[in-house]
Amino acid sequence: MAGIYPSFTPFLLASPLVRNTPTLIVERICRHAMVTMHRRYRPIFERVAEHGPFALLVSPTDLDLQFYLKVDADHPELRPATHMAEEPVEARISGPLPALLALLQGTSDGDALFFSRTLQIEGRTELVVALRNALDGEAVDLRLALAESFGVMGPVVKVALGITEKIYQQLQHDMNRSADALTSPVTKRLLGLEKRSAEQATTLSGIAKTIQKRSRHTSRAPSSAAKDDFAMPAVS
């Protein structure tokens, strides 16, 4: 998709690891996640069933991996996208993985994410909107669903997820500070250029007004002289 650039999030740091992870492992993780979601949140899939089965391409801009998502009331599917030419999709949704997860859990304003271009859609937008509306009607808790999917190890997984979330937040904070440090000189320079451009525009506008005034004055002077040249001589 044109205009899509990598998002500066901690998931971007994990891209080399994800890229080199065997596909079989990623497929098993995706399958396990979808089975868990379908079992726990089946009403979501049933709510979207009126549109019939359809497929989406989910493209996190901070992860070097795309996902093929088949939305089906009975047999949903989630796996890494490999041969997309052989598996056409109805729509594609792109954006940072945190924004995609927030949309999935209904913890963010979907309309704001789309209007701000944080998330972008190509293809049949109405299908993505239908899925979003179905998600909005259900309280999705990914952490709880993941923890429960591990059975007796659920409490341990829940603690591990809490620690991971804290580490993620600290990394995001550090990355934001780094981004500000790198871009602030450029931002200040652009602001300076913008200010000088505004000052020059004001100066040029003043010059243009002065030229227009002089031009009007000059155009009136010859007409006055011409009137005197052709005036009737006074009769004595």
Side-chain angles (χ1 to χ4, degrees):
M1 181 185 295
I4 294 294
Y5 301 96
S7 302
F8 200 54
T9 75
F11 288 106
L12 189 63
L13 304 178
S15 287
L17 177 63
V18 173
R19 185 170 53 248
N20 292 289
T21 300
T23 305
L24 182 61
I25 295 178
V26 180
E27 287 178 348
R28 287 185 177 179
I29 293 173
C30 290
R31 190 181 305 116
H32 178 72
M34 180 52 70
V35 169
T36 300
M37 289 292 295
H38 187 236
R39 181 177 65 248
R40 185 177 176 84
Y41 300 108
R42 185 181 179 89
I44 294 176
F45 298 90
E46 293 176 346
R47 209 170 288 137
V48 191
E50 60 184 33
H51 296 274
F54 61 89
L56 302 175
L57 180 64
V58 182
S59 303
T61 52
D62 47 3
L63 202 62
D64 194 15
L65 185 64
Q66 297 186 104
F67 297 95
Y68 173 85
L69 171 62
K70 182 181 179 182
V71 182
D72 189 302
D74 299 314
H75 304 289
E77 185 180 357
L78 177 66
R79 55 182 170 79
T82 51
H83 306 293
M84 295 312 303
E86 302 174 5
E87 302 168 324
V89 296
E90 279 73 27
R92 173 181 178 179
I93 177 170
S94 304
L97 188 56
L100 292 168
L101 293 176
L103 182 69
L104 174 61
Q105 296 187 95
T107 57
S108 62
D109 187 342
D111 291 333
L113 290 175
F114 292 128
F115 284 125
S116 66
R117 305 287 289 173
T118 301
L119 296 180
Q120 298 188 35
I121 304 175
E122 281 184 331
R124 296 182 59 186
T125 306
E126 71 275 9
L127 295 178
V128 179
V129 172
L131 179 59
R132 189 210 67 183
N133 291 339
L135 291 168
D136 286 344
E138 192 78 23
V140 178
D141 190 331
L142 291 179
R143 286 186 299 176
L144 183 60
L146 182 60
E148 289 184 354
S149 70
F150 281 86
V152 294
M153 293 295 294
V156 177
V157 173
K158 194 172 182 179
V159 172
L161 288 173
I163 296 173
T164 302
E165 185 176 357
K166 290 181 179 178
I167 294 174
Y168 173 86
Q169 292 173 351
Q170 184 60 51
L171 280 173
Q172 185 66 76
H173 175 72
D174 294 340
M175 292 177 71
N176 289 341
R177 291 186 62 188
S178 300
D180 290 340
L182 291 171
T183 59
S184 59
V186 178
T187 302
K188 289 179 180 178
R189 185 173 181 181
L190 289 175
L191 289 174
L193 290 173
E194 184 178 353
K195 183 179 179 180
R196 286 196 292 271
S197 296
E199 291 173 349
Q200 290 174 358
T202 302
T203 302
L204 290 174
S205 177
I207 293 173
K209 289 180 180 178
T210 301
I211 293 174
Q212 288 175 358
K213 288 180 180 179
R214 291 182 178 179
S215 177
R216 286 197 296 268
H217 178 72
T218 305
S219 64
R220 284 197 300 267
S223 63
S224 218
K227 184 177 180 181
D228 291 339
D229 289 342
F230 292 95
M232 294 294 292
V235 178
S236 55

